[in-house]
Amino acid sequence: MTETLSEIRPLVAGNWKMNGLSAALGESAEVRDALPALGKSAPDVMICPPATLVAQLAAASKGSALAVGGQDCHAAASGAHTGDISAEMLKDAGATAVIVGHSERRADHGELDRIVKAKAAAAHRAGLTAIVCIGETKGERLADLTLNVVNRQLAASLPDTATAHNTVVAYEPIWAIGTGLTPEAKDVAEIHAAIRKNLESRFGPAGKGIRILYGGSVKPTNARELLSLPNVNGALVGGASLKAVDFLAIIRAYG
Ligand code: PEP
């Protein structure tokens, strides 16, 4: 099936990072319970909790519009990899997606593009949607290298198995993550247009339908402006996804 841009349903995904004990499931329950009242323009909504909460959140969200994702997976399906979890395990726990290549994984765990690509391919193998993160550092932006970096990361991090159904690209300028800073709207629009062009030239019709999320200090106060930009098909939200009231305000930017 091919999709055109006008048919792309947006996605707002929350990345809880290493935050949240069982008590935090009260926040996700509030989000889940608010979704049925949203109108036709409502986006798809997902929360990616820490791995310890994936099964509980998936069980609590079963039958609702709230989807659950993991924050990382190993490239292998199983094996001697102490502390890691596989895409198959996330799927078994009830996740439908997994974030791969988040800049914190790239920085803290030395994940290179080829590792990110293998993880995205693992997600596809397991039947999960891979949310593949890309984005430049402050230094790269100041050196006017943003488009080079983004195009290089797309080429090296996306596997050939990517389709509009199993892959989401999250453009997250590293200097905007958790800092309260965001690029100017015109810059976000320019970079997302370049990402779209790259996806179309590599994947053809599928590239037209792959969702491109913006991530980096999305808040209730800036969501409407950022999410209404062309080729911005939703958001990956960190800090503001931890509180239901803030996350719902971002989701309602589509109202
Ligand atoms: C993120 O880490 O993916 C993110 C976008 O974080 P924040 O919204 O807190 O900047």
Side-chain angles (χ1 to χ4, degrees), residues 99-167:
I99 299 169
V100 295
H102 191 281
S103 60
E104 288 152 13
R105 299 283 320 172
R106 290 177 187 259
D108 296 354
H109 299 271
E111 290 188 5
L112 305 170
D113 288 328
R114 65 176 164 74
I115 296 172
V116 176
K117 183 180 185 178
K119 290 182 175 204
H124 296 164
R125 179 190 67 220
L128 297 179
T129 295
I131 302 175
V132 182
C133 300
I134 58 171
E136 81 286 0
T137 64
K138 183 81 179 171
E140 288 163 341
R141 160 142 317 207
L142 291 173
D144 209 14
L145 290 172
T146 300
L147 293 181
N148 299 40
V149 169
V150 160
N151 282 320
R152 190 197 68 223
Q153 288 179 328
L154 285 171
S157 304
L158 289 180
D160 291 336
T161 45
T163 69
H165 300 284
N166 67 16
T167 301

Side-chain angles (χ1 to χ4, degrees), residues 18-221:
M18 199 173 74
N19 296 294
L21 304 177
S22 305
L25 295 173
E27 298 295 328
S28 52
E30 219 178 291
V31 173
R32 176 200 64 205
D33 294 345
L35 297 182
L38 299 179
K40 275 205 163 76
S41 56
D44 287 339
V45 177
M46 179 184 295
I47 291 178
C48 303
T52 47
L53 294 180
V54 167
Q56 279 182 81
L57 180 49
S61 308
K62 206 168 176 178
S64 81
L66 179 62
V68 180
Q71 296 178 11
D72 177 52
C73 66
H74 196 280
S78 63
H81 304 290
T82 303
D84 280 315
I85 54 173
S86 69
E88 282 77 2
M89 289 168 177
L90 287 170
K91 171 103 174 166
D92 186 50
T96 57
V98 60
I99 299 169
V100 295
H102 191 281
S103 60
E104 288 152 13
R105 299 283 320 172
R106 290 177 187 259
D108 296 354
H109 299 271
E111 290 188 5
L112 305 170
D113 288 328
R114 65 176 164 74
I115 296 172
V116 176
K117 183 180 185 178
K119 290 182 175 204
H124 296 164
R125 179 190 67 220
L128 297 179
T129 295
I131 302 175
V132 182
C133 300
I134 58 171
E136 81 286 0
T137 64
K138 183 81 179 171
E140 288 163 341
R141 160 142 317 207
L142 291 173
D144 209 14
L145 290 172
T146 300
L147 293 181
N148 299 40
V149 169
V150 160
N151 282 320
R152 190 197 68 223
Q153 288 179 328
L154 285 171
S157 304
L158 289 180
D160 291 336
T161 45
T163 69
H165 300 284
N166 67 16
T167 301
V168 171
V169 170
Y171 168 61
E172 300 206 299
I174 296 171
W175 52 273
I177 294 178
T179 59
L181 303 171
T182 53
E184 285 182 36
K186 69 170 176 39
D187 293 335
V188 175
E190 183 194 338
I191 295 157
H192 278 241
I195 294 170
R196 175 68 62 209
K197 195 168 159 214
N198 180 308
L199 294 173
E200 283 181 20
S201 82
R202 176 159 168 204
F203 296 105
K208 284 190 196 301
I210 292 177
R211 292 187 275 200
I212 308 172
L213 311 186
Y214 169 77
S217 295
V218 177
K219 309 274 178 227
T221 47

